[in-house]
Amino acid sequence: WYSELGMHDVEIVGGKNASLGEMIRNLAQSGVRVPNGFATTAEAYRHFLAHEGLAQRINEMLAKLDIEDVTALAQTGKAIREAVLKAPFPAALEQEIREHYTQLVAESGAEISFAVRSSATAEDLPDASFAGQQETFLNVVGIDDVLHKVKEVFASLYNDRAIAYQIGRASCRERV
């Protein structure tokens, strides 16, 4: 829950989520309303990728990729994003998202809509910037759409720009 998060949790839930937690914890007493919510963790994302060998399939596709070949980059990125969208959630992760969703609906009413967005754990480091590369979805309604949008956010970590950026950074580090 956001109310349990703070800036000490950036590595676990990312900067945006940690900041929302800080705002809830520090501004509520001043009358600033920040909607309740929850974050999935970086560990949950890694568990999703490990589930049914998805990470291995992605790594195999990326290992063969020449980012200078724009056509290959687009094809590989599309294939990875499709694989992410088709992959099932690990049962425990899906259940936790459903339970948190149900609690928020109970607190706020059935008319509630959600924002589903990335919160990278490595945005804006001194040697890297991932800001603005992943998808954000607003006014998401219903658990099925929330679950789908979570996968779309996960898939957006593999948009063409992000793939080229990450591989480019890795090859620059290798040359140094």
Side-chain angles (χ1 to χ4, degrees), residues 59-66:
N59 289 335
E60 288 169 0
M61 286 187 260
L62 291 176
K64 297 184 257 181
L65 178 62
D66 172 8

Side-chain angles (χ1 to χ4, degrees), residues 10-14 17 38-59 62 77 80-81 83-85 87-94 96-97 116-122 130 133-135 147-159 162-163 166:
V10 170
E11 291 182 10
I12 299 167
V13 296
N17 286 323
F38 63 92
T40 57
T41 63
E43 181 180 339
Y45 167 71
R46 288 188 293 272
H47 186 60
F48 172 80
L49 289 181
H51 187 65
E52 296 191 358
L54 179 60
Q56 182 178 344
R57 293 192 314 271
I58 290 171
N59 289 335
L62 291 176
I80 291 171
R81 290 186 300 275
V84 170
L85 292 174
F89 281 107
L93 175 57
E94 181 172 339
E96 284 191 54
I97 293 171
V116 180
R117 59 191 302 188
S118 69
S119 184
T121 58
F130 303 96
Q133 291 188 17
Q134 284 79 50
E135 293 290 345
L147 289 165
H148 180 72
K149 296 302 187 207
V150 168
K151 283 186 187 180
E152 285 197 50
V153 169
F154 288 173
S156 74
L157 291 165
Y158 298 96
N159 68 39
I163 291 171
Q166 299 246 18

Side-chain angles (χ1 to χ4, degrees), residues 10 30 58 69-70 73 98 111 118-119 121 148 160 171-172:
V10 170
S30 300
I58 290 171
D69 181 343
V70 178
L73 175 62
R98 286 180 179 279
E111 299 297 318
S118 69
S119 184
T121 58
H148 180 72
D160 301 352
S171 75
C172 284

